[in-house]
Structures are given as C-alpha cells and as structure tokens.
Amino acid sequence: MPLTGIRCAAPKYKSRDSIHEVSVQECLDCAATRQNGCSYTYEILKLMYDNVQDREANISTTTLTSKCLRSEFLKRAEDYTESPDKMWASFRGTMLHGQLEGAARPKSIAEARFHVDIPGLGHLSGSPDLIDVAEGILYDYKTCKEVPRFNYPWGDHKDQCNVNRWLVDNADYVEWQGKEWEPEMFRPVEWQALVLVYIDNLGVKPLDVTKSEQVPTADGKRTKSVRVPDIWTDEEALAWITERYVAVQGAFHHGQLPDIPEDFQGWEHPLCGFCPKRKECTEAYYRDNPVTTEKTYAITRPGRRS
C-alpha cells in the first residue's frame, strides 16, 4: 500500500503529544507557499515523495535482504504515514544512485534491472548499482551515517551483492534506459570481485566482499589464511534465495505476518525508531501474545541482560 500521510516536520509538531498528520498533497501545498514551518523546500519534498515506490507484492533483491520482513509486510499491506525527517537518509541514498547512470565509465552498466522467473517459486528482480562488465566487478553504493570501522562489509550487504550477481548471470531479460534487452551483454566473462562502496559525510570507503581461506605456504609445509573473493556459486545463491523467497511468499501472498527478527526483539534496533509501522507491529505482537506484557517482554526477550 502507498504512503498516504505525512507527519508534519515543523518544530511545533516534533513532540509525540503534538503530532500533526496531513496528506501528501496537503504537505506539498503548504511547502509551495514558501511559508511552511519546516526546513524542507517544496522541491526536496516533491522529490522525496515521488521516489517512494508502492511495490505491492513484487519481490526483489531488496525484499529478500530486508533486515525486517515484518516491517516490509506491514508497509505493503496497509497505508502508512511517515515524517520527512525519517525519510531523509533513504532519500539521500536514492539521489546518489540516480546520478550513477550518467557518470558510469564506458562499458559499465548502472541501474539496470534484471528479471528472472524461478521455477517453483516465481518472479524475482534486482538492480545492481553498477556493473563493470569489462573488469568483472559488481559495485553497490551505500550511504550511511558512518562507514564501517572494520575492513569488511556488513553481512546483509554481502548477501545483496551475491543475489544480484546471481540475477545478472541467470536473468531472462533486462530493463535498462527505458528498453528491454537480452541479458548476455550485461554479463562479464568472469567475475573478479563484488565491492561495497560506503559513503558518509567524511568520505568514501570501498570494501571487497571476501572470505578467509587456507592456502599452502611457499614451502608447502604449512597453510596460511588469506582473503579471497566471496562469490557464491549459483547453487549456493539459489538455496539462499529459495529460503527467503518462501518466507516472503508466505507473508505477501498468504497474509502471514512475519515474526519479529531476533535482532529487533524489544524494538530497540536503531531501525525500529525509523519504522512507520512500529505501532502496528507492537499492537500485533501483544494481540498475538496476550499473556506477555511490555515489561516482561523487555526483560525476557532473547539477548537481554537481566
């Protein structure tokens, strides 16, 4: 279901006791007067709202790698409202991706969407940020508050790159630059690397998707650990996709509300603070678990220290 309401970002409506909700059009009409009380101009708000997609029941790489399928389901099952402040981080990333196609180096492909019908499952699509076909490298750009302090990408981002690699190699057709293409021209002869490019306010940090592997030393007497590209085989990728796809189908096509992910128990995950369906999520939990109170859940949830 679509974004239908906006929680006004004017300072006087910042507290929970004074939330003011308006329609998307009413928000834009207010901003068009140039006298709106929030810091957002009409143009920024218009771009932000235009980039919100109503994905309905479509399943994509982004869907499969979502940190919280429960939130994804609730946003698609019901209309929802959101604050521009909480939409900003996602919008900033979208704007960067929108510039990639015009800046891609020759023989590189930006923002193409790959489609495949998986036997026994259904349709899946995905859009890698950039594929350098000549070099055999798939890039994914991530804007964030702070780039990883460690020298490896976050786990769900590694999964996303590997699923998109599989899609490139197994797609039935490709949408790119307003046309439909055969997939062969988008496929490298051999994949060399999957790269996450993290961007924060201080700069850029590219990180290869790698794994540790034991190799013989020069004298052949011992082994040593080295980092090598972590590119899943087609079989590994399809097994991962199948497990997630079945769970998504159960939610989107059969109305089964997904469980709260383990890392989100107690609604203390940072993303819970940005979720427009947090209220509905908590209400559904206590409705389905009537003997659990908010206090006892906070104490006994997995990973909680007493």
Side-chain angles (χ1 to χ4, degrees):
M1 300 293 281
L3 171 73
T4 57
I6 302 299
R7 296 178 184 175
C8 183
K12 64 181 179 180
Y13 298 124
K14 290 287 188 178
S15 72
R16 291 186 177 181
D17 296 332
S18 59
I19 291 176
H20 180 53
E21 294 187 358
V22 297
S23 70
V24 172
Q25 190 57 52
E26 286 171 332
C27 177
L28 292 174
D29 290 345
C30 176
T33 67
R34 305 298 187 188
Q35 302 298 317
N36 50 313
C38 72
S39 58
Y40 297 94
T41 64
Y42 172 89
E43 289 74 18
I44 290 177
L45 291 171
K46 183 69 164 59
L47 281 171
M48 191 181 295
Y49 301 155
D50 284 351
N51 276 280
V52 176
Q53 301 176 2
D54 180 11
R55 296 186 175 93
E56 298 179 334
N58 298 322
I59 299 177
S60 67
T61 302
T62 303
T63 311
L64 297 184
T65 57
S66 171
K67 285 186 173 71
C68 183
L69 182 57
R70 187 179 178 94
S71 176
E72 283 288 313
F73 170 77
L74 288 170
K75 285 190 291 185
R76 298 196 195 192
E78 307 167 350
D79 293 340
Y80 67 96
T81 62
E82 187 58 286
S83 162
D85 290 342
K86 294 186 177 181
M87 298 172 67
W88 176 252
S90 176
F91 170 69
R92 185 180 65 165
T94 300
M95 289 299 95
L96 170 68
H97 292 161
Q99 301 301 312
L100 283 176
E101 191 165 337
R105 77 168 230 182
K107 297 184 180 180
S108 293
I109 305 293
E111 301 296 327
R113 179 159 291 275
F114 296 79
H115 297 263
V116 62
D117 287 313
I118 305 174
L121 292 178
H123 190 81
L124 177 66
S125 71
S127 182
D129 290 340
L130 185 82
I131 305 168
D132 190 322
V133 179
E135 299 296 331
I137 304 174
L138 184 149
Y139 291 92
D140 197 32
Y141 290 79
K142 300 293 185 184
T143 56
C144 50
K145 183 177 181 180
E146 182 182 18
V147 301
R149 297 181 183 182
F150 35 79
N151 289 319
Y152 51 87
W154 282 301
D156 56 315
H157 296 162
K158 294 170 63 175
D159 296 341
Q160 187 174 27
C161 280
N162 269 295
V163 173
N164 277 332
R165 192 286 308 163
W166 181 89
L167 265 171
V168 173
D169 284 349
N170 292 276
D172 297 321
Y173 66 95
V174 183
E175 289 181 296
W176 185 54
Q177 296 184 336
K179 298 179 181 179
E180 191 171 302
W181 304 74
E182 293 295 324
E184 283 73 22
M185 66 172 284
F186 299 86
R187 294 170 179 160
V189 174
E190 184 177 358
W191 290 102
Q192 301 297 326
L194 309 177
V195 181
L196 274 303
V197 183
Y198 291 98
I199 303 169
D200 65 13
N201 291 335
L202 298 179
V204 177
K205 186 174 184 177
L207 294 172
D208 285 18
V209 176
T210 62
K211 62 183 178 181
S212 179
E213 191 171 277
Q214 293 293 317
V215 299
T217 57
D219 59 14
K221 296 180 179 179
R222 297 177 303 277
T223 62
K224 62 180 180 180
S225 179
V226 298
R227 305 299 299 183
V228 298
D230 186 9
I231 302 175
W232 298 348
T233 66
D234 277 0
E235 292 75 18
E236 290 171 330
L238 185 56
W240 189 99
I241 290 167
T242 300
E243 180 181 351
R244 302 307 192 284
Y245 201 104
V246 170
V248 171
Q249 275 187 322
F252 292 174
H253 298 295
H254 305 298
Q256 300 170 1
L257 179 63
D259 292 334
I260 300 173
E262 184 174 348
D263 290 346
F264 288 66
Q265 299 285 337
W267 304 284
E268 290 188 354
H269 192 283
L271 291 180
C272 291
F274 291 88
C275 180
K277 304 303 288 185
R278 177 170 177 165
K279 180 175 181 290
E280 291 82 353
C281 173
T282 56
E283 289 175 347
Y285 177 84
Y286 292 120
R287 182 179 64 247
D288 296 339
N289 299 272
V291 298
T292 305
T293 66
E294 185 170 356
K295 182 177 180 180
T296 58
Y297 179 53
I299 294 173
T300 61
R301 69 181 186 274
R304 177 80 174 192
R305 293 183 180 178
S306 58

